[in-house]
Amino acid sequence: GKSYGVDELIKECYPNIEIKDNPFIFKTTIYSDYSYYNFIGNIIPTSKNGEIGYDFKAGVFTQALARAFEYKDKEIFLIVEEMSRGDIASIFGDVFQLLDRDENGNSEYSINNDLISKYLDDKGIKIGDKIFLPRNFHIIGTVNTSDQNVNVIDTAFKRRFEFIYIDVAPAYNEDGTLKNTFSFKLSDKKFEWNRLYMALNELITTKMELNEDKQIGQFFIKFNNYIDNDNQKFKVIQNKLLHYLWDDVQAASITDEYSIFDKKYRTFSSLYKDFGDKKNIFS
């Protein structure tokens, strides 16, 4: 949902360029050990002609910033996925000061950062000694606000971003048909993927009373990756969806009143086998 929404936003700006080939799009994903030096850049040892030296290797932020100054007539997007997976305020470091924008879209404040300044200067980009974000430089982050296994983003950091809530409602094609659809039968009952995942989400949030981060998105399984092979599509539901529901959802429930699966199943192996035999294993 989130990454899909970001891609759709970028397509409005660059409708004729594939995102993976777009030189004005920069992406990074935060993880637990991700640091300021991954984001901004770091001085690393190098070997040239037998001599050991030290060069600055620009991080994704510095690369994107340089591109924004090089192409002032283009919109530059820095996509930061999973912002709460690391200490995001520490990762941004002094760049945090630049996030406030004035009425023209430029940074309201500027900073001194010798590493970034030298990198820009070496590329022939002359902006002076102060670092700032230009109007055409956009930072978009994705985050699961209800995810329990992540770092808390402090209020001072959050208020420098506009928030857009992305729900798990299904997306539609232009002709009104559902995207990412697939139908299959268990016993004598027919299941359609979009109706199934929405019914599961209803059960997870209202009956089992679990957090919203346990919900399933429409593209939890991308059926277009298994073109015209219904057996492969069925197997990926068996291997991916069942495992997630059994280990990460059902096991997290603190009540026995509601169950995703028929309560006769006590082991995953028996559940897995019966689903493979196309028996209805759901409650």
Side-chain angles (χ1 to χ4, degrees), residues 69-98:
F69 283 120
E70 286 178 310
Y71 296 89
K72 295 183 179 181
D73 60 331
K74 298 291 185 180
E75 305 303 318
I76 308 302
F77 294 92
L78 172 58
I79 313 303
V80 185
E81 299 272 17
E82 305 289 356
M83 288 181 74
S84 61
R85 291 285 170 185
D87 185 350
I88 196 65
S90 176
I91 289 167
F92 270 70
D94 53 351
V95 172
F96 177 91
Q97 187 74 13
L98 307 180

Coordinates of all heavy atoms in Angstrom, one line a residue, residues 69-98:
F69 N 20.6 20.0 -7.1 CA 21.3 21.2 -7.5 C 21.7 21.2 -9.0 O 21.8 22.2 -9.6 CB 22.5 21.5 -6.6 CG 22.1 22.0 -5.2 CD1 22.4 21.3 -4.1 CD2 21.4 23.2 -5.1 CE1 22.1 21.8 -2.8 CE2 21.1 23.7 -3.8 CZ 21.4 23.0 -2.7
E70 N 22.0 20.0 -9.5 CA 22.4 19.9 -10.9 C 21.3 20.1 -11.8 O 21.5 20.6 -12.9 CB 23.0 18.5 -11.1 CG 24.4 18.3 -10.5 CD 24.9 16.9 -10.7 OE1 24.2 15.9 -10.4 OE2 26.1 16.7 -11.2
Y71 N 20.1 19.6 -11.4 CA 18.9 19.7 -12.3 C 17.8 20.5 -11.6 O 16.9 19.9 -11.1 CB 18.4 18.3 -12.7 CG 19.4 17.5 -13.5 CD1 20.4 16.7 -12.9 CD2 19.4 17.5 -14.9 CE1 21.3 16.0 -13.6 CE2 20.3 16.8 -15.6 CZ 21.3 16.0 -15.0 OH 22.2 15.3 -15.7
K72 N 18.0 21.8 -11.6 CA 17.0 22.6 -10.8 C 15.6 22.7 -11.4 O 14.7 23.1 -10.8 CB 17.6 24.0 -10.7 CG 18.8 24.1 -9.8 CD 19.4 25.5 -9.6 CE 20.6 25.5 -8.7 NZ 21.1 26.9 -8.5
D73 N 15.5 22.2 -12.7 CA 14.2 22.2 -13.4 C 13.5 20.9 -13.2 O 12.4 20.7 -13.8 CB 14.4 22.6 -14.8 CG 15.3 21.6 -15.6 OD1 16.2 21.0 -14.9 OD2 15.1 21.4 -16.8
K74 N 14.1 19.9 -12.5 CA 13.5 18.6 -12.3 C 13.2 18.4 -10.8 O 13.8 19.0 -9.9 CB 14.5 17.5 -12.7 CG 14.9 17.6 -14.2 CD 13.7 17.2 -15.1 CE 14.1 17.1 -16.6 NZ 13.0 16.7 -17.4
E75 N 12.1 17.6 -10.6 CA 11.7 17.2 -9.3 C 12.5 16.0 -8.8 O 12.5 15.0 -9.5 CB 10.2 17.0 -9.2 CG 9.4 18.1 -9.7 CD 9.6 19.4 -9.0 OE1 9.8 19.4 -7.8 OE2 9.7 20.4 -9.7
I76 N 13.3 16.1 -7.7 CA 14.1 15.0 -7.2 C 13.4 14.4 -6.0 O 13.0 15.2 -5.1 CB 15.5 15.5 -6.8 CG1 16.1 16.3 -8.0 CG2 16.4 14.4 -6.4 CD1 16.3 15.6 -9.3
F77 N 13.3 13.1 -6.0 CA 12.6 12.4 -4.9 C 13.6 11.5 -4.2 O 14.2 10.7 -4.8 CB 11.4 11.6 -5.4 CG 10.3 12.4 -6.0 CD1 10.3 12.7 -7.3 CD2 9.3 12.9 -5.2 CE1 9.2 13.5 -7.9 CE2 8.2 13.6 -5.7 CZ 8.2 13.9 -7.1
L78 N 13.7 11.7 -2.9 CA 14.4 10.7 -2.0 C 13.4 10.0 -1.2 O 12.6 10.5 -0.4 CB 15.3 11.5 -1.1 CG 16.0 10.6 0.0 CD1 16.8 9.5 -0.6 CD2 16.9 11.5 0.9
I79 N 13.3 8.6 -1.5 CA 12.3 7.8 -0.8 C 13.0 7.0 0.3 O 14.0 6.3 0.1 CB 11.7 6.8 -1.8 CG1 11.2 7.5 -3.1 CG2 10.5 6.0 -1.2 CD1 10.3 8.6 -2.9
V80 N 12.5 7.2 1.5 CA 13.1 6.6 2.7 C 12.1 5.6 3.2 O 11.1 5.9 3.9 CB 13.5 7.6 3.8 CG1 14.2 6.9 4.9 CG2 14.4 8.7 3.2
E81 N 12.3 4.3 2.9 CA 11.4 3.2 3.3 C 11.6 2.8 4.7 O 12.8 2.8 5.2 CB 11.5 2.0 2.4 CG 11.2 2.3 0.9 CD 9.7 2.2 0.5 OE1 8.9 2.1 1.5 OE2 9.4 2.1 -0.7
E82 N 10.5 2.5 5.4 CA 10.6 1.9 6.8 C 11.3 2.8 7.7 O 12.3 2.4 8.4 CB 11.2 0.5 6.8 CG 10.6 -0.5 5.8 CD 9.2 -0.9 6.3 OE1 8.8 -0.5 7.5 OE2 8.5 -1.7 5.6
M83 N 10.9 4.1 7.8 CA 11.6 5.1 8.6 C 11.7 4.8 10.1 O 12.6 5.3 10.8 CB 10.9 6.5 8.4 CG 11.1 7.1 7.1 SD 10.3 8.7 6.9 CE 11.4 9.7 7.8
S84 N 10.8 3.9 10.6 CA 10.8 3.6 12.0 C 11.7 2.4 12.4 O 11.7 2.0 13.5 CB 9.4 3.4 12.6 OG 8.8 2.3 11.9
R85 N 12.3 1.8 11.4 CA 13.1 0.6 11.6 C 14.5 0.9 12.2 O 15.2 0.0 12.7 CB 13.3 -0.2 10.3 CG 12.1 -0.8 9.8 CD 11.7 -2.0 10.6 NE 10.4 -2.5 10.2 CZ 9.8 -3.5 10.8 NH1 10.4 -4.1 11.8 NH2 8.6 -3.9 10.4
G86 N 14.9 2.2 12.2 CA 16.1 2.6 12.9 C 15.9 3.9 13.7 O 14.8 4.4 13.8
D87 N 16.9 4.4 14.2 CA 16.9 5.7 15.0 C 16.9 6.8 14.0 O 18.0 7.3 13.7 CB 18.0 5.8 16.0 CG 17.9 7.0 16.9 OD1 17.1 7.9 16.6 OD2 18.7 7.1 17.8
I88 N 15.7 7.2 13.4 CA 15.7 8.1 12.3 C 16.2 9.4 12.6 O 16.8 10.1 11.7 CB 14.2 8.1 11.7 CG1 14.2 8.7 10.3 CG2 13.3 8.8 12.6 CD1 15.0 7.8 9.3
A89 N 16.0 10.0 13.8 CA 16.5 11.3 14.1 C 18.0 11.3 14.1 O 18.7 12.2 13.7 CB 16.0 11.7 15.5
S90 N 18.6 10.2 14.6 CA 20.1 10.1 14.6 C 20.6 9.9 13.2 O 21.7 10.4 12.8 CB 20.5 8.9 15.5 OG 21.9 8.7 15.4
I91 N 19.8 9.1 12.3 CA 20.2 8.9 10.9 C 20.3 10.2 10.2 O 21.2 10.5 9.4 CB 19.3 7.9 10.3 CG1 19.5 6.5 10.9 CG2 19.4 7.9 8.8 CD1 18.5 5.5 10.5
F92 N 19.3 11.1 10.4 CA 19.3 12.4 9.7 C 20.3 13.3 10.3 O 20.9 14.2 9.6 CB 17.9 13.0 9.8 CG 17.0 12.7 8.7 CD1 16.5 11.4 8.5 CD2 16.6 13.6 7.7 CE1 15.6 11.0 7.5 CE2 15.8 13.3 6.7 CZ 15.3 12.0 6.5
G93 N 20.6 13.2 11.6 CA 21.6 14.0 12.3 C 21.4 15.5 12.1 O 20.3 16.0 12.2
D94 N 22.4 16.2 11.6 CA 22.3 17.7 11.4 C 21.4 18.0 10.3 O 20.9 19.2 10.2 CB 23.7 18.3 11.2 CG 24.5 17.6 10.1 OD1 24.1 16.6 9.6 OD2 25.6 18.1 9.8
V95 N 21.1 17.1 9.4 CA 20.2 17.4 8.2 C 18.8 17.6 8.8 O 18.0 18.3 8.1 CB 20.2 16.2 7.3 CG1 19.2 16.3 6.2 CG2 21.6 16.1 6.6
F96 N 18.5 17.1 9.9 CA 17.2 17.4 10.6 C 16.9 18.9 10.6 O 15.7 19.3 10.4 CB 17.3 16.9 12.0 CG 16.1 17.1 12.9 CD1 15.1 16.2 12.9 CD2 16.0 18.3 13.6 CE1 14.0 16.4 13.7 CE2 14.9 18.5 14.4 CZ 13.9 17.5 14.5
Q97 N 17.9 19.7 10.7 CA 17.7 21.2 10.8 C 17.2 21.7 9.5 O 16.6 22.8 9.4 CB 19.0 21.8 11.1 CG 18.9 23.3 11.4 CD 18.3 23.7 12.7 OE1 18.1 22.8 13.6 NE2 17.9 24.9 12.9
L98 N 17.4 21.0 8.4 CA 17.0 21.5 7.0 C 15.6 21.2 6.7 O 15.1 21.7 5.6 CB 18.0 20.9 6.0 CG 19.5 21.0 6.2 CD1 20.2 20.3 5.1 CD2 19.9 22.5 6.3

